[in-house]
Amino acid sequence: VSVTRIPLRHPGGLTRILAGSGALDAARAELDAWAEGRRRFVLTTPRVLELHRRRLDELAAGGRSTVLEVPDGETAKSAEEAVRLWRDLLAAGGKRDSRVVVVGGGSACDLGGFVAGCFLRGVEVAHVPTTLLAQVDAAIGGKTGIDLPEAKNSVGVFHHPALVVCDARFLATLPVEELRSGLVEVVKMALLLDADLLAEVEHGLAALLAGSLPELERVVAGAAAVKARVVERDPGDKDERRLLNLGHTLGHAIEAALDYRGLRHGEAVGYGLLFALRLGERRGLPREVAERVRRLLRAMDLPALPPLEAPALLRFVSRDKKAQERGVAWVVPVDLLQAELAADVPLEELRAELERFLRAPLAAPS
Ligand SMILES: NC(=O)c1ccc[n+]([C@@H]2O[C@H](COP(=O)([O-])OP(=O)(O)OC[C@H]3O[C@@H](n4cnc5c(N)ncnc54)[C@H](O)[C@@H]3O)[C@@H](O)[C@H]2O)c1
Ligand SMILES: [Zn+2]
């Protein structure tokens, strides 16, 4: 058992993050102390229950616990599910000082965090993320939310978890597609903030994609720490944290254009990142840095980008909720560990570059 502790201080207090194989065992005493004498609601999904029943039983063993199930995947993030959970919480005796423990992927964490953040004006929550993406990103930082039919993540609150337990052993059952999707977010964070992490992903890529736990464990600890530091410096999502949207402006547009069915989130972000490299190269991003990231994304073997037209994608870009009153701010990498928010990329440049990109997304610009 090797467990890394990553404290995250935020305006409302402290999030204790534990990462590593066996983190859940290491956190057991802390979780029990936190929930001591209170009703504990364990919110999870059928898939996670099926694959990790023993760990869930252990979690629910201490004190008065109720297990609540939510659907797997993005469909969990609906207003209907939130209402159902609030009513279940009330029916089961949920109180202001009850505790919610979410065990699942980013979808369950987003929904569970939102439900906890609003129930009786806020009950404390702990996250036990079970996907790579949730361990390095979704479970950390206090952003919660649900989707409306019109738009993803359109309703939510900031609600920081008291504890985040990233146990690599959950990742052993994750299909390679989900590992790849999470790894794209790791590459994004590494390019922005951690050159050692980037090198680590490069060297360990084959093992990481094969689900090797020692490699995954190191990468999770590194990436979770990067995310935690950014959130500490910008808890309100006003400046630096927005850089984490690298690859997401186009990524979200791709997801929306494909009606959220064509590619996983991380895969779409992978293509968004490839496009951002192109914008970067027009603004001084050294070719060798861009090529390094492209090599990595090629080696990840993303599923092919379905046929899409530049004008249609740009319409989705301008609809994205990240579109500010003053136009869309693209996150543009200009060097290793250096990126800018560019609010003024001319539409003509975008359209032309996007057309070239769509013809050969993985190729270097000529
Ligand atoms: N709040 C944030 O800051 C933030 C950041 C990034 C992403 N997100 C959100 O996270 C969500 C995506 O999260 P995700 O990629 O974890 O997807 P997910 O939660 O939908 O999980 C993906 C799939 O993996 C399955 N799964 C979960 N754990 C498993 C395990 N251990 N073994 C096998 N299968 C398992 C799930 O059942 C699901 O089918 C999106 O809704 C996104 O908006 C939020
Ligand atoms: Zn993302």
Side-chain angles (χ1 to χ4, degrees):
V1 181
S2 68
V3 175
T4 309
R5 289 183 160 270
I6 306 160
L8 187 170
R9 267 165 266 279
H10 56 80
L14 172 75
T15 299
R16 286 172 282 166
I17 303 168
L18 284 83
S21 282
L24 191 54
D25 298 330
R28 176 77 29 79
E30 273 161 87
L31 278 165
D32 285 345
W34 169 73
E36 169 86 64
R38 305 155 196 270
R39 189 165 284 286
R40 191 187 303 196
F41 294 94
V42 179
L43 200 150
T44 189
T45 75
R47 182 107 188 99
V48 173
L49 261 175
E50 174 191 312
L51 293 169
H52 299 279
R53 162 128 2 226
R54 194 180 50 75
R55 287 200 181 101
L56 277 151
D57 285 346
E58 284 167 18
L59 251 181
R64 294 168 293 154
S65 296
T66 307
V67 175
L68 300 174
E69 281 187 50
V70 300
D72 278 285
E74 190 75 25
T75 50
K77 289 174 58 175
S78 72
E80 291 73 19
E81 279 304 319
V83 170
R84 188 183 61 77
L85 285 169
W86 287 321
R87 301 184 67 182
D88 285 352
L89 287 168
L90 278 180
K95 299 281 187 297
R96 182 69 238 282
D97 58 351
S98 297
R99 299 290 193 236
V100 174
V101 183
V102 183
V103 190
S107 301
C109 292
D110 271 11
L111 170 74
F114 176 70
V115 163
C118 297
F119 183 67
L120 303 176
R121 298 202 180 82
V123 301
E124 288 190 25
V125 67
H127 287 311
V128 183
T130 61
T131 64
L132 180 58
L133 188 139
Q135 295 197 354
V136 299
D137 197 353
I140 298 169
K143 278 205 226 174
T144 75
I146 56 171
D147 306 333
L148 295 180
E150 290 79 3
K152 260 192 64 152
N153 293 329
S154 39
V155 178
V157 292
F158 276 95
H159 186 54
H160 281 279
L163 278 151
V164 179
V165 186
C166 303
D167 195 324
R169 292 174 306 176
F170 284 106
L171 306 181
T173 55
L174 213 55
V176 62
E177 294 79 15
E178 299 293 344
L179 288 170
R180 180 163 56 206
S181 198
L183 272 178
V184 171
E185 302 275 6
V186 173
V187 170
K188 172 204 76 179
M189 287 194 261
L191 171 64
L192 288 170
L193 289 142
D194 190 334
D196 293 340
L197 184 59
L198 189 64
E200 186 139 5
V201 175
E202 284 174 324
H203 295 135
L205 187 65
L208 288 163
L209 288 172
S212 163
L213 292 193
E215 273 82 4
L216 282 167
E217 182 178 298
R218 273 208 305 281
V219 160
V220 166
V226 167
K227 170 94 195 243
R229 294 295 78 83
V230 174
V231 172
E232 272 188 343
R233 290 193 293 259
D234 180 17
D237 207 9
K238 291 193 175 60
D239 40 274
E240 187 187 354
R241 194 165 169 187
R242 290 171 56 202
L243 294 179
L244 296 181
N245 269 326
L246 173 59
H248 282 62
T249 307
L250 187 67
H252 284 151
I254 292 173
E255 285 185 278
L258 298 172
D259 214 9
Y260 299 97
R261 282 191 282 262
L263 293 174
R264 285 177 170 73
H265 172 72
E267 296 164 347
V269 171
Y271 284 107
L273 183 51
L274 286 161
F275 179 65
L277 294 174
R278 283 177 168 258
L279 294 182
E281 286 183 87
R282 299 173 63 93
R283 286 165 182 71
L285 174 68
R287 165 64 63 118
E288 71 268 17
V289 176
E291 202 45 45
R292 214 177 140 187
V293 178
R294 269 194 293 267
R295 248 198 320 274
L296 201 43
L297 288 165
R298 283 186 205 118
M300 281 191 196
D301 205 13
L302 296 169
L305 183 62
L308 291 165
E309 302 287 340
L313 277 175
L314 288 173
R315 274 195 299 279
F316 280 106
V317 165
S318 57
R319 262 206 257 161
D320 191 357
K321 82 169 158 77
K322 305 249 153 49
Q324 309 280 312
E325 299 269 6
R326 283 168 298 150
V328 178
W330 292 81
V331 184
V332 180
V334 291
D335 204 343
L336 184 61
L337 311 184
Q338 220 177 308
E340 290 170 357
L341 280 173
D344 52 356
V345 186
L347 193 59
E348 247 338 285
E349 179 190 339
L350 282 174
R351 199 196 322 271
E353 197 58 51
L354 195 50
E355 266 158 16
R356 288 191 285 270
F357 164 76
L358 289 171
R359 280 198 288 276
L362 289 154
S366 45

